Amino acid sequence: MYQKKKERLYVCDLLEDPALTYPAYYILSSSMLKNEMLHGAIVSLHSFDLSYYETPKRFDDIFKMFDSGTFPIYKEKYIVGYFGNKMMFLESNGWKGMPATAEIFKLENWLVC
């Protein structure tokens, strides 16, 4: 079966002097590689410039971001996406399924814009 080619997006290509240097890159599909909203979330996370983000008041705020194609941040550590009815977080080697733990249901762990 044909698999889509994945490429590395280096943080230093988006941000000259990142405050958060790990991970240094993310492995993404070509469509995600071109996604400007994802680039903005990566820049915000790696520069620690979270001034556009705030703690959500309701869970609807998180899902509004998913619906609009933007990416909330979880625990000031992970960018979260919603694909195929699954919440996924971005790690260096790509998108991973987000385990349903009690921590997910605490609004103070989320940042939305």
PDB file of all heavy atoms in Angstrom, residues 49-66:
ATOM      1  N   ASP A  49       5.989  32.453  23.569  1.00  0.00           N
ATOM      2  CA  ASP A  49       5.136  33.628  23.390  1.00  0.00           C
ATOM      3  C   ASP A  49       3.693  33.144  23.345  1.00  0.00           C
ATOM      4  O   ASP A  49       3.129  32.921  22.282  1.00  0.00           O
ATOM      5  CB  ASP A  49       5.496  34.372  22.113  1.00  0.00           C
ATOM      6  CG  ASP A  49       4.630  35.598  21.914  1.00  0.00           C
ATOM      7  OD1 ASP A  49       3.928  36.012  22.862  1.00  0.00           O
ATOM      8  OD2 ASP A  49       4.651  36.157  20.796  1.00  0.00           O
ATOM      9  N   LEU A  50       3.111  32.972  24.509  1.00  0.00           N
ATOM     10  CA  LEU A  50       1.750  32.475  24.621  1.00  0.00           C
ATOM     11  C   LEU A  50       0.771  33.612  24.904  1.00  0.00           C
ATOM     12  O   LEU A  50      -0.307  33.395  25.440  1.00  0.00           O
ATOM     13  CB  LEU A  50       1.682  31.401  25.707  1.00  0.00           C
ATOM     14  CG  LEU A  50       2.610  30.201  25.483  1.00  0.00           C
ATOM     15  CD1 LEU A  50       2.654  29.311  26.701  1.00  0.00           C
ATOM     16  CD2 LEU A  50       2.191  29.429  24.249  1.00  0.00           C
ATOM     17  N   SER A  51       1.160  34.831  24.509  1.00  0.00           N
ATOM     18  CA  SER A  51       0.334  35.999  24.789  1.00  0.00           C
ATOM     19  C   SER A  51      -1.014  35.954  24.057  1.00  0.00           C
ATOM     20  O   SER A  51      -1.969  36.571  24.510  1.00  0.00           O
ATOM     21  CB  SER A  51       1.083  37.279  24.429  1.00  0.00           C
ATOM     22  OG  SER A  51       1.452  37.273  23.063  1.00  0.00           O
ATOM     23  N   TYR A  52      -1.093  35.233  22.948  1.00  0.00           N
ATOM     24  CA  TYR A  52      -2.355  35.115  22.217  1.00  0.00           C
ATOM     25  C   TYR A  52      -3.235  34.006  22.788  1.00  0.00           C
ATOM     26  O   TYR A  52      -4.371  33.849  22.379  1.00  0.00           O
ATOM     27  CB  TYR A  52      -2.095  34.822  20.734  1.00  0.00           C
ATOM     28  CG  TYR A  52      -1.408  35.952  20.030  1.00  0.00           C
ATOM     29  CD1 TYR A  52      -0.081  35.848  19.639  1.00  0.00           C
ATOM     30  CD2 TYR A  52      -2.083  37.140  19.767  1.00  0.00           C
ATOM     31  CE1 TYR A  52       0.558  36.882  18.992  1.00  0.00           C
ATOM     32  CE2 TYR A  52      -1.452  38.182  19.116  1.00  0.00           C
ATOM     33  CZ  TYR A  52      -0.128  38.039  18.738  1.00  0.00           C
ATOM     34  OH  TYR A  52       0.507  39.071  18.107  1.00  0.00           O
ATOM     35  N   TYR A  53      -2.696  33.240  23.708  1.00  0.00           N
ATOM     36  CA  TYR A  53      -3.423  32.101  24.275  1.00  0.00           C
ATOM     37  C   TYR A  53      -3.934  32.437  25.660  1.00  0.00           C
ATOM     38  O   TYR A  53      -3.372  33.261  26.360  1.00  0.00           O
ATOM     39  CB  TYR A  53      -2.502  30.881  24.362  1.00  0.00           C
ATOM     40  CG  TYR A  53      -2.244  30.222  23.024  1.00  0.00           C
ATOM     41  CD1 TYR A  53      -1.256  30.698  22.175  1.00  0.00           C
ATOM     42  CD2 TYR A  53      -2.985  29.125  22.625  1.00  0.00           C
ATOM     43  CE1 TYR A  53      -1.015  30.094  20.957  1.00  0.00           C
ATOM     44  CE2 TYR A  53      -2.758  28.503  21.405  1.00  0.00           C
ATOM     45  CZ  TYR A  53      -1.771  28.997  20.582  1.00  0.00           C
ATOM     46  OH  TYR A  53      -1.546  28.396  19.375  1.00  0.00           O
ATOM     47  N   GLU A  54      -5.011  31.754  26.049  1.00  0.00           N
ATOM     48  CA  GLU A  54      -5.587  31.900  27.384  1.00  0.00           C
ATOM     49  C   GLU A  54      -6.188  30.577  27.817  1.00  0.00           C
ATOM     50  O   GLU A  54      -6.436  29.693  26.985  1.00  0.00           O
ATOM     51  CB  GLU A  54      -6.650  32.993  27.399  1.00  0.00           C
ATOM     52  CG  GLU A  54      -7.844  32.678  26.522  1.00  0.00           C
ATOM     53  CD  GLU A  54      -8.842  33.819  26.454  1.00  0.00           C
ATOM     54  OE1 GLU A  54      -8.507  34.956  26.832  1.00  0.00           O
ATOM     55  OE2 GLU A  54      -9.973  33.562  26.022  1.00  0.00           O
ATOM     56  N   THR A  55      -6.441  30.428  29.083  1.00  0.00           N
ATOM     57  CA  THR A  55      -7.109  29.242  29.598  1.00  0.00           C
ATOM     58  C   THR A  55      -8.562  29.276  29.154  1.00  0.00           C
ATOM     59  O   THR A  55      -9.226  30.303  29.298  1.00  0.00           O
ATOM     60  CB  THR A  55      -7.019  29.205  31.135  1.00  0.00           C
ATOM     61  OG1 THR A  55      -5.646  29.270  31.512  1.00  0.00           O
ATOM     62  CG2 THR A  55      -7.632  27.934  31.689  1.00  0.00           C
ATOM     63  N   PRO A  56      -9.062  28.184  28.605  1.00  0.00           N
ATOM     64  CA  PRO A  56     -10.463  28.188  28.146  1.00  0.00           C
ATOM     65  C   PRO A  56     -11.439  28.256  29.311  1.00  0.00           C
ATOM     66  O   PRO A  56     -11.152  27.800  30.409  1.00  0.00           O
ATOM     67  CB  PRO A  56     -10.595  26.856  27.398  1.00  0.00           C
ATOM     68  CG  PRO A  56      -9.537  25.989  27.974  1.00  0.00           C
ATOM     69  CD  PRO A  56      -8.426  26.887  28.382  1.00  0.00           C
ATOM     70  N   LYS A  57     -12.579  28.823  29.043  1.00  0.00           N
ATOM     71  CA  LYS A  57     -13.630  28.917  30.062  1.00  0.00           C
ATOM     72  C   LYS A  57     -14.530  27.673  30.044  1.00  0.00           C
ATOM     73  O   LYS A  57     -15.074  27.289  31.058  1.00  0.00           O
ATOM     74  CB  LYS A  57     -14.463  30.168  29.833  1.00  0.00           C
ATOM     75  CG  LYS A  57     -13.582  31.409  29.728  1.00  0.00           C
ATOM     76  CD  LYS A  57     -14.113  32.578  30.421  1.00  0.00           C
ATOM     77  CE  LYS A  57     -13.274  33.814  30.318  1.00  0.00           C
ATOM     78  NZ  LYS A  57     -11.892  33.736  30.033  1.00  0.00           N
ATOM     79  N   ARG A  58     -14.673  27.087  28.840  1.00  0.00           N
ATOM     80  CA  ARG A  58     -15.499  25.886  28.659  1.00  0.00           C
ATOM     81  C   ARG A  58     -14.789  24.972  27.663  1.00  0.00           C
ATOM     82  O   ARG A  58     -13.940  25.417  26.895  1.00  0.00           O
ATOM     83  CB  ARG A  58     -16.872  26.255  28.087  1.00  0.00           C
ATOM     84  CG  ARG A  58     -17.665  27.237  28.887  1.00  0.00           C
ATOM     85  CD  ARG A  58     -19.021  27.568  28.240  1.00  0.00           C
ATOM     86  NE  ARG A  58     -19.022  27.642  26.783  1.00  0.00           N
ATOM     87  CZ  ARG A  58     -18.875  28.751  26.081  1.00  0.00           C
ATOM     88  NH1 ARG A  58     -18.694  29.905  26.687  1.00  0.00           N
ATOM     89  NH2 ARG A  58     -18.919  28.731  24.771  1.00  0.00           N
ATOM     90  N   PHE A  59     -15.171  23.713  27.661  1.00  0.00           N
ATOM     91  CA  PHE A  59     -14.593  22.784  26.690  1.00  0.00           C
ATOM     92  C   PHE A  59     -14.966  23.149  25.263  1.00  0.00           C
ATOM     93  O   PHE A  59     -14.237  22.835  24.329  1.00  0.00           O
ATOM     94  CB  PHE A  59     -15.020  21.338  27.000  1.00  0.00           C
ATOM     95  CG  PHE A  59     -14.269  20.757  28.148  1.00  0.00           C
ATOM     96  CD1 PHE A  59     -14.866  20.633  29.386  1.00  0.00           C
ATOM     97  CD2 PHE A  59     -12.954  20.363  28.015  1.00  0.00           C
ATOM     98  CE1 PHE A  59     -14.174  20.112  30.458  1.00  0.00           C
ATOM     99  CE2 PHE A  59     -12.240  19.838  29.072  1.00  0.00           C
ATOM    100  CZ  PHE A  59     -12.849  19.711  30.295  1.00  0.00           C
ATOM    101  N   ASP A  60     -16.093  23.848  25.094  1.00  0.00           N
ATOM    102  CA  ASP A  60     -16.482  24.301  23.758  1.00  0.00           C
ATOM    103  C   ASP A  60     -15.406  25.169  23.121  1.00  0.00           C
ATOM    104  O   ASP A  60     -15.249  25.162  21.901  1.00  0.00           O
ATOM    105  CB  ASP A  60     -17.790  25.092  23.813  1.00  0.00           C
ATOM    106  CG  ASP A  60     -18.995  24.217  24.083  1.00  0.00           C
ATOM    107  OD1 ASP A  60     -18.866  22.978  23.992  1.00  0.00           O
ATOM    108  OD2 ASP A  60     -20.066  24.776  24.390  1.00  0.00           O
ATOM    109  N   ASP A  61     -14.676  25.924  23.937  1.00  0.00           N
ATOM    110  CA  ASP A  61     -13.612  26.784  23.413  1.00  0.00           C
ATOM    111  C   ASP A  61     -12.524  25.954  22.726  1.00  0.00           C
ATOM    112  O   ASP A  61     -11.974  26.372  21.704  1.00  0.00           O
ATOM    113  CB  ASP A  61     -12.989  27.619  24.537  1.00  0.00           C
ATOM    114  CG  ASP A  61     -13.979  28.562  25.188  1.00  0.00           C
ATOM    115  OD1 ASP A  61     -15.009  28.882  24.559  1.00  0.00           O
ATOM    116  OD2 ASP A  61     -13.727  28.965  26.343  1.00  0.00           O
ATOM    117  N   ILE A  62     -12.223  24.792  23.282  1.00  0.00           N
ATOM    118  CA  ILE A  62     -11.206  23.909  22.693  1.00  0.00           C
ATOM    119  C   ILE A  62     -11.717  23.375  21.356  1.00  0.00           C
ATOM    120  O   ILE A  62     -11.008  23.403  20.349  1.00  0.00           O
ATOM    121  CB  ILE A  62     -10.867  22.754  23.651  1.00  0.00           C
ATOM    122  CG1 ILE A  62     -10.256  23.299  24.944  1.00  0.00           C
ATOM    123  CG2 ILE A  62      -9.928  21.754  22.994  1.00  0.00           C
ATOM    124  CD1 ILE A  62     -10.154  22.293  26.072  1.00  0.00           C
ATOM    125  N   PHE A  63     -12.966  22.911  21.329  1.00  0.00           N
ATOM    126  CA  PHE A  63     -13.508  22.333  20.108  1.00  0.00           C
ATOM    127  C   PHE A  63     -13.781  23.383  19.040  1.00  0.00           C
ATOM    128  O   PHE A  63     -13.749  23.076  17.844  1.00  0.00           O
ATOM    129  CB  PHE A  63     -14.743  21.482  20.422  1.00  0.00           C
ATOM    130  CG  PHE A  63     -14.353  20.180  21.054  1.00  0.00           C
ATOM    131  CD1 PHE A  63     -14.337  20.044  22.432  1.00  0.00           C
ATOM    132  CD2 PHE A  63     -13.957  19.103  20.277  1.00  0.00           C
ATOM    133  CE1 PHE A  63     -13.942  18.853  23.018  1.00  0.00           C
ATOM    134  CE2 PHE A  63     -13.566  17.908  20.854  1.00  0.00           C
ATOM    135  CZ  PHE A  63     -13.555  17.777  22.231  1.00  0.00           C
ATOM    136  N   LYS A  64     -14.005  24.624  19.428  1.00  0.00           N
ATOM    137  CA  LYS A  64     -14.122  25.708  18.444  1.00  0.00           C
ATOM    138  C   LYS A  64     -12.794  25.896  17.711  1.00  0.00           C
ATOM    139  O   LYS A  64     -12.776  26.165  16.512  1.00  0.00           O
ATOM    140  CB  LYS A  64     -14.544  27.015  19.116  1.00  0.00           C
ATOM    141  CG  LYS A  64     -16.005  27.064  19.465  1.00  0.00           C
ATOM    142  CD  LYS A  64     -16.357  28.367  20.140  1.00  0.00           C
ATOM    143  CE  LYS A  64     -17.788  28.345  20.648  1.00  0.00           C
ATOM    144  NZ  LYS A  64     -18.103  29.527  21.442  1.00  0.00           N
ATOM    145  N   MET A  65     -11.703  25.747  18.448  1.00  0.00           N
ATOM    146  CA  MET A  65     -10.384  25.847  17.797  1.00  0.00           C
ATOM    147  C   MET A  65     -10.196  24.707  16.806  1.00  0.00           C
ATOM    148  O   MET A  65      -9.719  24.920  15.693  1.00  0.00           O
ATOM    149  CB  MET A  65      -9.258  25.836  18.830  1.00  0.00           C
ATOM    150  CG  MET A  65      -9.104  27.137  19.569  1.00  0.00           C
ATOM    151  SD  MET A  65      -7.558  27.202  20.481  1.00  0.00           S
ATOM    152  CE  MET A  65      -6.370  27.348  19.175  1.00  0.00           C
ATOM    153  N   PHE A  66     -10.560  23.493  17.214  1.00  0.00           N
ATOM    154  CA  PHE A  66     -10.457  22.363  16.295  1.00  0.00           C
ATOM    155  C   PHE A  66     -11.281  22.615  15.040  1.00  0.00           C
ATOM    156  O   PHE A  66     -10.819  22.369  13.924  1.00  0.00           O
ATOM    157  CB  PHE A  66     -10.940  21.064  16.955  1.00  0.00           C
ATOM    158  CG  PHE A  66     -10.062  20.551  18.068  1.00  0.00           C
ATOM    159  CD1 PHE A  66     -10.629  19.916  19.158  1.00  0.00           C
ATOM    160  CD2 PHE A  66      -8.684  20.670  18.029  1.00  0.00           C
ATOM    161  CE1 PHE A  66      -9.844  19.406  20.181  1.00  0.00           C
ATOM    162  CE2 PHE A  66      -7.889  20.171  19.046  1.00  0.00           C
ATOM    163  CZ  PHE A  66      -8.465  19.536  20.124  1.00  0.00           C
TER     164      PHE A  66
END
